[in-house]
Amino acid sequence: MSATVKTAGKTAGWVDDRFTSSNFLKRNIGKVFPEHWSFMLGEIALYSFIVVMLSGVYLTLFFKPSMIELAYNGSYVPLKGVKMTEAYASTLNISFDIRGGLLMRQIHHWSALFFVAAISVHLLRVFFTGAFRKPRELNWVIGVGLLTMALLAGFAGYSLPDDLLSGTGLRIAQGIVLSLPLVGTYLSFFIFGGEFPGTDFISRLYAVHILVVPGLILALLTAHLMMVWYQKHTQFPGLGRTNDNVVGYPLLPIYMAKAGGFFFVVFGVITLISGLVTINPIWLYGPYTPDQVTAGSQPDWYIGWLEGSLRMMPNVEWVIFGYTLSWNILVPAVILPGLVFTVMAIYPWIEQWATGDKREHHLLDRPRNAPVRTSLGAMAVSFYVLLWIGGGNDLIASFFDMSINTITWFLRFAIFLVPPLVFVATKRICLGLQRRDRDKLLHGMETGNILRLPHGEFIEVHAPISDEEKAVLMAKPERTPLTMPEEIDENGVAMPGARGARLRAKLSNFYYADNIPLPTREELEAAEAHLRHEVEQAAPAMEEDRRLIPAHDGSVLHDPAIDK
Amino acid sequence: MTTHENLPATTESAEAAAIEKAAAALPAHRPRRTDVDPKAARRAERQVAAMFLGSALMTVLFVVAFVAIPVDETVYIWGFGTVNASNIALGVTFGLAILLIGTGAIHWSKKLMNEKEEIQLRHPLASSDEEREAAVEAFQTYQADSGFTQRPIIRRSLLTAMVLFPIPMVVLLRDLGPLPGEVLRETLWEPGSRIVIDPTGRPVRPSDLALGGLISAMPADLPEVQEEEGNLNARAKAAIILVRMEPQEIVSQQGDNWDYGGILAFSKICTHVGCPIALYEQRTHHLLCPCHQSTFDLADSGNVVFGPAARRLPQLPITIDPEGFLVAVDGFAEPVGPSFWERGDA
């Protein structure tokens, strides 16, 4: 027995004496995780969060969250003698006077950007593959919570240095708080310790940024991972993969090596980028003052959609009984994000109710097989992208030399017109792909070989698809819409709850009615016989062709199916 | 996680059969080159070790760079321009030290570790009906033991206490800040306030302003107040801009003769969400907010011509004092900056 195994055995024994852990260990070191590249997106989010935490702890050792004014006396020459808050001065200090400080600042910022980006793409993966369905609805809600917390953490973080850009962002946030009916003014005075900007806010925000929000993220993250562990990961359909099993690599050693190695890859890539690419050069912006701003001020990418909604909203404001209701701020900055996150969080139950599907799902959907869900998702993405474009309308206008008013007016209409068009187009594409899948099952793959039969007919030779592909295609779930309920029963009395049931039947039709059915067993058998016949018929002629027709690269046309 | 330990033997054999069935369907394991060619395996082994050793080397180089390169040293690197030498050296060595551990581990797992796929079964997540009933029963027993439902007085009084007890935690927040009062309606500007250039503090004569020009200005006492209060609150409300246009170009103003010879003074703070505005197009007299592109027509009472701002920019009535410097005739007639609930009509 090698020394490594002996030591491991001893340690395990020591722990087992205290926690009865051997059984747990035995069960879990062999736990199987399915593999797919898209399952790494959530991992990237997790790993960049670890990097955010590590670099963040370092930064707390040097950053001073104080709004006391002082004259800068560090080594960055252009700002020497300039009056600024201690928060900004200490950030300059981290960037210019502490060895490795700039690197850690940039690692912190880059990993935060990676964190939000990875969460967003992971969320899209989970949505489009239907991984949020029963039994994972709660984990989806936790995921939405994690996304909101990540946005909050990011905004709070880049607001801390108190540079001109971050202060402008805070001013906008304060303007939004002011717009809240009834409580807005008071809330703003409590948050800022009086009028904007005051001298309390940075230290208060600091507590939120390094304690409250990361604490919540850690708690949610732990719950998120424990649920994944307990309920076991979902998997894509394939050979041998069913709704009742998990096929993949065991935790030790393969999964551990890959996932652990991947942590180092993510960390390493973030560090390399941070060494090579400057992010948030706060020294160029100067200290914050409420009467200055630079043109082309942009928030970090993940706040861009809210900036866009603020820019696109027309200027509606009401004064009722002497009180001001600023719809121009409330709608884009309060109601819209509220709605977006609420709808996102409850979507699993919307779909469940509409389709009546209460089964457990461990096998992922291919997006095309759930065309309405996929189209709703695509519609939401287009909505988001339009808002995001709105957030950069000034950059687009100056880059392409266009009128900013035209862009804004275009977006004001597009935000209502484009998403429905995207819905229709996506649904068409999904159904088209479903038809192609059915074709593949019935007629096999097109080989691109055209054959002229002895009697003069031209046919394209088809080859049967692989077993793996067939397993994937055949795993398509059969989905039948709910039937329309009777409005009155046999005695002519109105059925209770008929209206709700009818609405539900309609929604279920909306979700499922257009799906292309899988071929029946008879159809498949007939098609298989036909395909076999075609291949047999073509074989001798193809054999001849292979010698006669050189392909464009000088080789001969080659069909693996005929080679057999 | 604990359900499958105590399952009866029949279920166990059924499970084994299910695993076997799925295993039979799995595609055959294709051996890798490293599985069949010992040379390839040794090569892969060397590659993995080289990456781990490369990482160790990078860590040493990191320490060397940390000690040797001064923090303010710059270096020109093609494609990156002039960059901070310390940052780039530390970033590259540290980054590679980490990255190589990762690539080494992944290479190891892909080339050399036993990569046989395994199958595990899922079990229904819901407990059996008996277990559920047993849980409900147990709960009811405990519930009966406590008498929670039988003693409504205790129950209700407890609920009352529980609902009320978080209130102190909210009340404690009261001293986070003062009440708003009327301060959002007030600025430093009052009758006779002298207008000075920001940031020099020099008083302004009408002749200082070129036709079509724009300058940022403030009340003369702002620096003093700022020093005294130790914050930027007064500045956030008092900042103004001065523009000069031909008097006949002025279409309308917020008050009669609030200009002085074509010189107009407006609040610099956007009425949307409070960004300072300074993008001025002198031909159209439009002032554009760089944050959300609200556009105000300074020749026409500062009215909104485009964008999300709902209210015009407040105008400051100005004139000159006996010494010939620009002064405010009065304070702002309406609150400056973003709207707020109590603002109402003015």
Side-chain angles (χ1 to χ4, degrees):
Chain A
M1 219 194 285
S2 77
T4 320
V5 176
K6 259 190 208 159
T7 327
K10 258 189 173 172
T11 318
W14 194 93
V15 178
D16 188 66
D17 284 348
R18 285 147 186 88
F19 299 104
T20 339
S21 55
S22 286
N23 203 11
F24 175 84
L25 203 68
K26 191 198 85 196
R27 243 184 307 120
N28 284 297
I29 56 177
K31 194 176 178 69
V32 163
F33 283 89
E35 246 197 355
H36 190 264
W37 64 265
S38 68
F39 299 167
M40 295 201 302
L41 299 167
E43 278 186 63
I44 299 179
L46 172 66
Y47 301 151
S48 24
F49 180 66
I50 297 174
V51 179
V52 173
M53 296 274 282
L54 290 173
S55 51
V57 169
Y58 172 92
L59 292 177
T60 60
L61 305 177
F62 299 99
F63 178 70
K64 300 191 175 70
S66 139
M67 291 177 91
I68 289 176
E69 275 224 342
L70 46 77
Y72 177 66
N73 191 27
S75 58
Y76 183 61
V77 179
L79 289 177
K80 257 198 180 8
V82 173
K83 279 200 159 184
M84 58 182 65
T85 58
E86 205 176 359
Y88 185 61
S90 64
T91 313
L92 288 174
N93 195 34
I94 292 171
S95 309
F96 291 104
D97 295 286
I98 290 165
R99 282 180 287 180
L102 178 61
L103 181 67
M104 291 309 273
R105 246 199 75 221
Q106 302 204 134
I107 289 179
H108 195 61
H109 203 121
W110 273 116
S111 49
L113 294 179
F114 269 66
F115 182 45
V116 187
I119 292 182
S120 311
V121 189
H122 172 60
L123 177 131
L124 291 178
R125 196 282 290 171
V126 169
F127 181 83
F128 284 116
T129 59
F132 57 82
R133 289 171 296 172
K134 187 182 172 187
R136 298 183 177 76
E137 309 96 320
L138 284 180
N139 224 8
W140 166 265
V141 176
I142 290 180
V144 174
L146 276 166
L147 174 65
T148 18
M149 286 299 126
L151 296 184
L152 201 64
F155 181 76
Y158 80 69
S159 296
L160 281 175
D162 207 21
D163 58 285
L164 188 54
L165 184 63
S166 77
T168 305
L170 284 180
R171 173 82 228 213
I172 295 169
Q174 189 255 353
I176 294 167
V177 173
L178 272 187
S179 77
L180 292 172
L182 205 62
V183 294
T185 319
Y186 288 81
L187 215 54
S188 168
F189 271 66
F190 290 149
I191 293 173
F192 287 88
E195 284 184 88
F196 180 86
T199 50
D200 294 325
F201 188 66
I202 295 289
S203 51
R204 288 178 183 177
L205 189 65
Y206 190 60
V208 171
H209 179 70
I210 71 159
L211 182 72
V212 181
V213 175
L216 284 172
I217 292 180
L218 262 180
L220 290 175
L221 197 60
T222 312
H224 201 67
L225 293 177
M226 281 171 71
M227 286 189 186
V228 171
W229 192 279
Y230 188 75
Q231 298 181 325
K232 297 196 173 83
H233 205 286
T234 50
Q235 62 188 354
F236 277 101
L239 278 177
R241 288 151 202 257
T242 67
N243 205 34
D244 304 316
N245 70 11
V246 201
V247 181
Y249 294 118
L251 181 69
L252 284 178
I254 291 263
Y255 195 77
M256 199 52 144
K258 281 189 178 170
F262 192 47
F263 163 70
F264 284 93
V265 168
V266 171
F267 193 178
V269 168
I270 289 174
T271 308
L272 280 175
I273 293 176
S274 307
L276 297 170
V277 189
T278 306
I279 185 89
N280 200 23
I282 48 109
W283 53 90
L284 298 179
Y285 308 146
Y288 179 63
T289 161
D291 58 340
Q292 275 174 35
V293 67
T294 42
S297 291
Q298 286 289 321
D300 270 4
W301 74 267
Y302 45 84
I303 305 288
W305 64 292
L306 290 173
E307 177 84 351
S309 70
L310 265 175
R311 290 180 181 192
M312 273 149 69
M313 179 71 192
N315 59 344
V316 185
E317 183 177 280
W318 292 355
V319 176
I320 309 171
F321 305 122
Y323 293 103
T324 307
L325 256 179
S326 302
W327 295 114
N328 53 342
I329 302 165
L330 284 172
V331 170
V334 181
I335 297 171
L336 176 103
L339 267 179
V340 164
F341 286 112
T342 311
V343 170
M344 217 196 275
I346 63 171
Y347 181 79
W349 288 278
I350 298 179
E351 189 180 305
Q352 222 166 70
W353 190 80
T355 60
D357 183 352
K358 296 268 195 295
R359 287 164 303 165
E360 271 187 30
H361 293 280
H362 303 291
L363 216 47
L364 294 171
D365 266 332
R366 301 172 80 211
R368 69 186 63 173
N369 290 341
V372 169
R373 179 203 302 144
T374 303
S375 309
L376 287 174
M379 187 167 145
V381 170
S382 70
F383 181 74
Y384 182 90
V385 169
L386 285 169
L387 290 178
W388 207 21
I389 293 174
N393 62 357
D394 50 342
L395 301 184
I396 294 168
S398 61
F399 189 80
F400 293 106
D401 204 12
M402 288 161 73
S403 152
I404 201 157
N405 301 13
T406 315
I407 298 175
T408 306
W409 270 111
F410 169 77
L411 289 171
R412 281 174 180 174
F413 285 104
I415 199 78
F416 293 105
L417 297 177
V418 171
L421 288 177
V422 168
F423 179 90
V424 173
T426 313
K427 197 171 164 198
R428 288 293 118 202
I429 292 169
C430 286
L431 294 177
L433 288 169
Q434 282 193 20
R435 261 184 219 107
R436 200 180 66 145
D437 287 349
R438 188 185 149 90
D439 267 7
K440 270 194 197 166
L441 283 171
L442 287 176
H443 308 302
M445 284 269 286
E446 294 174 359
T447 59
N449 286 344
I450 306 292
L451 188 69
R452 188 177 174 191
L453 297 179
H455 58 273
E457 184 192 352
F458 285 94
I459 59 165
E460 184 184 8
V461 182
H462 284 75
I465 55 174
S466 69
D467 290 346
E468 172 71 30
E469 189 171 8
K470 196 170 171 190
V472 170
L473 298 188
M474 289 302 287
K476 176 180 171 184
E478 283 297 342
R479 288 164 162 153
T480 33
L482 302 171
T483 44
M484 207 43 106
E486 295 297 323
E487 269 181 85
I488 42 177
D489 62 12
E490 59 270 28
N491 300 326
V493 181
M495 298 273 275
R499 267 180 59 180
R502 284 182 69 84
L503 172 69
R504 198 168 168 185
K506 271 187 195 157
L507 276 173
S508 146
N509 251 290
F510 169 67
Y511 265 90
Y512 289 162
D514 294 335
N515 272 354
I516 312 295
L518 276 176
T520 60
R521 183 183 286 270
E522 294 78 49
E523 281 175 313
L524 271 176
E525 275 165 10
E528 216 164 280
H530 173 79
L531 190 59
R532 214 176 310 123
H533 171 72
E534 190 183 86
V535 171
E536 272 164 21
Q537 194 183 19
M542 288 300 292
E543 194 54 37
E544 198 173 316
D545 274 8
R546 276 177 49 180
R547 289 189 297 274
L548 295 177
I549 311 165
H552 57 87
D553 58 354
S555 67
V556 288
L557 284 174
H558 174 81
D559 186 336
I562 294 163
D563 273 359
K564 276 183 191 161
Chain B
M1 247 185 289
T2 53
T3 48
H4 46 280
E5 258 91 67
N6 314 318
L7 292 170
T10 48
T11 325
E12 243 169 60
S13 61
E15 293 207 349
I19 290 184
E20 212 161 289
K21 191 177 158 219
L26 283 188
H29 177 247
R30 262 194 227 119
R32 298 163 295 189
R33 267 196 76 181
T34 45
D35 290 332
V36 292
D37 180 3
K39 259 190 185 166
R42 272 198 302 278
R43 195 160 53 236
E45 199 176 347
R46 280 197 301 273
Q47 287 163 348
V48 173
M51 287 190 230
F52 289 157
L53 286 177
S55 161
L57 174 70
M58 285 298 151
T59 303
V60 173
L61 287 180
F62 174 88
V63 178
V64 171
F66 188 88
V67 177
I69 304 176
V71 67
D72 53 356
E73 182 91 16
T74 57
V75 61
Y76 179 82
I77 293 176
W78 188 85
F80 291 92
T82 305
V83 291
N84 182 296
S86 165
N87 184 58
I88 203 163
L90 296 180
V92 169
T93 51
F94 190 28
L96 285 176
I98 304 165
L99 184 65
L100 286 170
I101 294 179
T103 51
I106 292 172
H107 196 57
W108 180 10
S109 76
K110 283 194 166 253
K111 294 281 173 182
L112 296 168
M113 285 182 185
N114 180 11
E115 55 145 22
K116 212 172 100 34
E117 278 196 313
E118 287 187 13
I119 299 168
Q120 283 177 349
L121 292 184
R122 295 178 195 273
H123 303 92
L125 289 160
S127 313
S128 67
D129 289 345
E130 297 86 61
E131 280 171 317
R132 286 185 181 205
E133 270 162 35
V136 171
E137 250 168 57
F139 179 77
Q140 260 158 7
T141 314
Y142 298 136
Q143 195 281 116
D145 288 350
S146 74
F148 190 74
T149 44
Q150 287 89 335
R151 299 187 193 282
I153 297 180
I154 289 187
R155 189 175 70 240
R156 285 172 200 155
S157 54
L158 174 64
L159 284 178
T160 311
M162 294 294 277
V163 166
L164 292 185
F165 104 93
I167 287 178
M169 297 186 223
V170 179
V171 173
L172 280 169
L173 297 175
R174 165 61 190 87
D175 283 349
L176 275 175
L179 296 183
E182 295 295 306
V183 290
L184 284 182
R185 298 171 191 275
E186 296 154 5
T187 69
L188 283 185
W189 295 104
E190 52 190 26
S193 288
R194 190 172 268 183
I195 300 171
V196 300
I197 291 175
D198 188 24
T200 61
R202 201 161 52 82
V204 195
R205 288 182 193 283
S207 55
D208 292 343
L209 256 163
L211 198 64
L214 173 144
I215 55 173
S216 292
M218 59 180 174
D221 56 345
L222 178 62
E224 201 181 304
V225 172
Q226 213 169 293
E227 195 67 34
E228 201 175 290
E229 294 183 345
N231 60 41
L232 298 167
N233 299 0
R235 177 172 286 271
K237 289 186 298 185
I240 59 163
I241 46 149
L242 294 171
V243 288
R244 180 169 193 167
M245 54 188 84
E246 295 283 6
Q248 65 270 21
E249 285 178 315
I250 299 173
V251 179
S252 74
Q253 294 189 58
Q254 294 179 17
D256 288 337
N257 300 320
W258 277 14
D259 70 317
Y260 181 79
I263 299 178
L264 299 157
F266 286 95
S267 164
K268 195 181 178 180
I269 309 302
C270 185
T271 57
H272 179 220
V273 283
C275 288
I277 323 180
L279 294 177
Y280 183 52
E281 195 181 44
Q282 50 166 271
R283 191 175 48 81
T284 55
H285 312 119
H286 286 177
L287 191 68
L288 178 94
C289 177
C291 287
H292 307 102
Q293 290 100 37
S294 298
T295 313
F296 303 88
D297 187 350
L298 300 190
D300 186 13
S301 302
N303 285 333
V304 181
V305 290
F306 188 78
R311 290 182 295 105
R312 62 187 187 182
L313 269 187
Q315 187 183 353
L316 188 73
I318 56 171
T319 183
I320 53 166
D321 64 8
E323 291 165 71
F325 293 116
L326 289 176
V327 293
V329 175
D330 200 350
F332 282 107
E334 49 198 83
V336 301
S339 289
F340 49 96
W341 172 249
E342 297 85 356
R343 184 183 182 280
D345 281 318

